[in-house]
Amino acid sequence: MTTTAVTRRDRARRITIAGACMVAELMLAGCASAAPAVKPVPNTTAAVPPETTLTAPAQVFGGDCAAALSSADVSAALGEAAEYHQAPDSVHYEFSIDQVGGVPCGWDSIEPDGTAELVTVLLPADLLPADADLAPTCDDSEAGTPESPGYGSCRFDLVSSGFWLSGIVQTGAASSNDDSRAAITALGVSFAARTASAAVFTPTPAVAGRWPSADQADCDALTRSEPVAAILAGSSIEGIPGAPGGTGRGVFAGLFRAAEVAEAAACFWTGETADGEFVDFGAYSLPGGAWVQTVLEQIPDAEYVAYDGLDSVLIVPTDYGTTLHVFDGTNWLAVHPAEESDASLETLGPLMVAFVAELNAAR
């Protein structure tokens, strides 16, 4: 079976930006002082969609996973028939991958009882840290239980002809980490053969007017800012830096590196306020990421609305709650209140205004 490239329209229908979201550190430092006294009220009348000339950054292999690794290659390595399935689960990092020229790719077993899978990102090799350790790192999942056979699972990084393949391989039930290491070796052979004659990748230059950012958001400073303090209502909830959470298919080196190079950062808050109200929200910023507008506006029921103090706002309903997206010049900023949260879009509006003001002031 041949792997096909995933269209941005198909990806847009899957996107549910939930859990950890991103904000920039330089902005957060400014938020420690008094925030602008702006109380934006949403206008429910649909706004005119903004004009944009931005296009998505160029991707390695033209965004086609099969050009670097086919389903036949993956099936042979895993020992189970596999087909392209989806991008990494940490979808809030997926746009960071695009931003630096990468491609998210994943394959799952199509055997009736198959459990093998491969989740990867393809990146330009010059993004690999100079001190990177390329030795596979394996989980202890091979032990299993009497009721559930174990399986091999290893994180890996392969470099060939100017390209970097980073991901997680999981071999079938009752396999071992040695089986996963063997699969990585086989994948390396296929990857090297397919990239040997590949053209040199030329990344898209950084756009002008980008917001400044840093590797890690100052969530404590943001928690003390007026907009967030008002939402938290004097509770002891603390801001948590966002990152791909949990274990398994969503966590490996390429995801973290893409977010770092893209200068993305994150903070989110979850818990019960002093008044007994549950809050669960986060903020996401991607400098130079306004091109995401062309992807998000294709999601069913996405709608542009007018907010005082904000230029371009897109409301996107998802299975995890409604997300507010702000496109400011060449940049993208989003706030996500969870579906079950008492933090409404009206409540988070002042937060968005303060963020955009601080980021533009620091530019």
Side-chain angles (χ1 to χ4, degrees), residues 98-132:
D98 292 342
Q99 185 84 330
V100 299
V103 185
C105 304
W107 292 263
D108 286 341
S109 172
I110 58 175
E111 301 290 347
D113 297 319
T115 58
E117 64 177 0
L118 174 67
V119 182
T120 69
V121 293
L122 298 168
L123 296 164
D126 59 6
L127 300 187
L128 186 74
D131 59 351

Side-chain angles (χ1 to χ4, degrees), residues 11 14-20 22 86-98 104 244-245 250 255 284 292 296 318 320 332:
R11 286 173 52 199
R14 294 200 304 266
I15 293 168
T16 54
I17 301 176
M22 303 183 184
Q86 66 177 31
D89 283 346
S90 295
V91 292
H92 52 286
Y93 269 55
E94 186 174 339
F95 290 126
S96 294
I97 298 171
D98 292 342
L255 279 181
Y284 179 111
V292 172
L296 296 179
T318 75
Y320 294 88
W332 170 39

Side-chain angles (χ1 to χ4, degrees), residues 85-336:
H85 184 255
Q86 66 177 31
D89 283 346
S90 295
V91 292
H92 52 286
Y93 269 55
E94 186 174 339
F95 290 126
S96 294
I97 298 171
D98 292 342
Q99 185 84 330
V100 299
V103 185
C105 304
W107 292 263
D108 286 341
S109 172
I110 58 175
E111 301 290 347
D113 297 319
T115 58
E117 64 177 0
L118 174 67
V119 182
T120 69
V121 293
L122 298 168
L123 296 164
D126 59 6
L127 300 187
L128 186 74
D131 59 351
D133 183 358
L134 299 182
T137 302
C138 302
D139 297 335
D140 59 2
S141 54
E142 61 184 347
T145 65
E147 296 78 20
S148 177
Y151 54 86
S153 180
C154 300
R155 292 164 178 78
F156 68 92
D157 296 282
L158 300 170
V159 178
S160 176
S161 302
F163 301 98
W164 171 21
L165 181 68
S166 179
I168 299 175
V169 62
Q170 176 179 307
T171 43
S175 66
S176 68
N177 286 336
D178 285 342
D179 295 318
S180 292
R181 293 187 185 95
I184 293 169
T185 299
L187 290 170
V189 172
S190 298
F191 184 57
R194 289 183 175 272
T195 57
S197 59
V200 175
F201 174 69
T202 301
T204 301
V207 296
R210 285 167 51 99
W211 284 332
S213 189
D215 297 340
Q216 182 178 352
D218 186 351
C219 301
D220 290 338
L222 183 56
T223 301
R224 294 190 298 271
S225 70
E226 187 275 337
V228 175
I231 295 171
L232 299 181
S235 73
S236 60
I237 297 173
E238 298 180 354
I240 305 171
T247 59
R249 65 185 298 160
V251 185
F252 49 90
L255 279 181
F256 289 105
R257 183 58 176 166
E260 179 182 34
V261 174
E263 296 186 314
C267 286
F268 64 96
W269 297 263
T270 182
E272 189 173 289
T273 68
D275 296 332
E277 294 184 337
F278 177 74
V279 295
D280 181 6
F281 66 96
Y284 179 111
S285 175
L286 185 61
W291 61 268
V292 172
Q293 170 193 328
T294 61
V295 179
L296 296 179
E297 66 184 7
Q298 297 178 57
I299 297 176
D301 298 324
E303 180 182 15
Y304 285 99
V305 296
Y307 262 71
D308 292 339
L310 299 175
D311 293 337
S312 176
V313 181
L314 182 66
I315 302 295
V316 180
T318 75
D319 292 340
Y320 294 88
T322 301
T323 304
L324 177 81
H325 301 274
V326 176
F327 303 101
D328 182 87
T330 60
N331 305 288
W332 170 39
L333 181 65
V335 159
H336 173 83

Side-chain angles (χ1 to χ4, degrees), residues 339-358:
E339 185 175 24
E340 68 275 18
S341 175
D342 293 322
S344 66
L345 293 177
E346 289 82 358
T347 302
L348 295 172
L351 186 62
M352 302 302 296
V353 174
F355 283 5
V356 170
E358 292 292 345

